[in-house]
Amino acid sequence: MNPQLATQLRHLRLSGMAEALPVRLEQARSSPLAHLEFLELLVGDELARRADRLFARRLKQAGIVQVKELSDFDFTFNTKIPRARLVELATARFVASHQGVLLIGPPGIGKTHAAVAIAVGAIRAGYRARLRSVFDLAQDFLEAEASGERRALVDALTRVDLLVLEDFGMKKLGPSAAEDLLEIFVRRHESASTLITTNRPTEDWGQFLGDVPAATAILDRFLAHAELIQMQGKSYRLHQRARSAAHGPDSRPSA
Ligand code: ADP
Ligand code: MG
């Protein structure tokens, strides 16, 4: 292969083509390809690589370190978990219609797994997502406050197509963080999707927001329109632990 060609392709930002070229040339030698077919394959390689990169970038922006899929979720373990509704959410149609979702259930039931799978579904559908636990969020607000970037943080959390707030009600926010969070809620309401996971009854949320005036009213508005999904059953986390204690640390739960 002409090494200059590879350089030129990279120069044109066609590194997917440059990378695939040796293999495609080999393929063309072993089973003759029409010129057009050859070009189509290379263009396809470039597009596939761009899509992969965009997906990786969006996952990173979303704060998703480990991808989880509903196909890895064992729905036979807790049979009351509404499979069809979670699968529907992972198609991201609810993001298009700016719907809110509340996943509520005890620790270890798979709320984070489901929330990540739904966010991954939204990213695949071309949306931007952001996943933060309230613990992260409390830290984000503190840091933003200290560096004078509070406005930028509020804007970023307002703009994203799907905001996933995990473990709602598990950590008390300071008054200014609570107010910022409420502003984010108000601005997203009916214009962008928010998915909340929690193991706390919604009555406790006021406390988490430091009983900021209007908190209840705003959250009630969210809850009035949100799809409520109850995840009931046993903790898969404890089940995993019991299994690895019984079979050694290398054992994996059967999917
Ligand atoms: P929660 O957020 O509700 O506390 P997680 O989603 O963190 O629970 O689940 C704990 C662990 O168990 C994770 O590794 C998750 O992938 C796994 N898990 C939970 N439920 C299931 C399930 N039904 N099938 C497969 N893995 C599960
Ligand atoms: Mg969780």
Side-chain angles (χ1 to χ4, degrees), residues 56-71:
R57 194 161 61 239
R58 292 266 168 99
L59 283 180
K60 198 169 168 209
Q61 288 167 346
I64 296 173
V65 184
Q66 197 187 357
V67 170
K68 299 264 182 179
E69 305 278 3
L70 289 181
S71 52

Side-chain angles (χ1 to χ4, degrees), residues 132-134 137-138 141 150 153-154 157-158 163-169 171-189 194 196 205 208-210 212 215 218-219:
R132 297 307 271 161
S133 78
V134 288
L137 206 63
F141 279 126
R150 194 172 141 192
L153 177 65
V154 170
L157 292 173
T158 301
L163 179 63
V164 178
L165 294 177
E166 279 241 82
D167 299 319
F168 215 74
K171 183 173 169 53
K172 200 172 165 183
L173 293 179
S176 64
E179 269 166 34
D180 286 348
L181 187 59
L182 288 172
E183 183 187 335
I184 291 165
F185 262 93
V186 171
R187 287 172 57 193
R188 293 181 66 80
H189 188 65
T194 306
I196 289 178
W205 288 6
F208 148 73
L209 292 164
V212 168
I218 288 164
L219 289 175

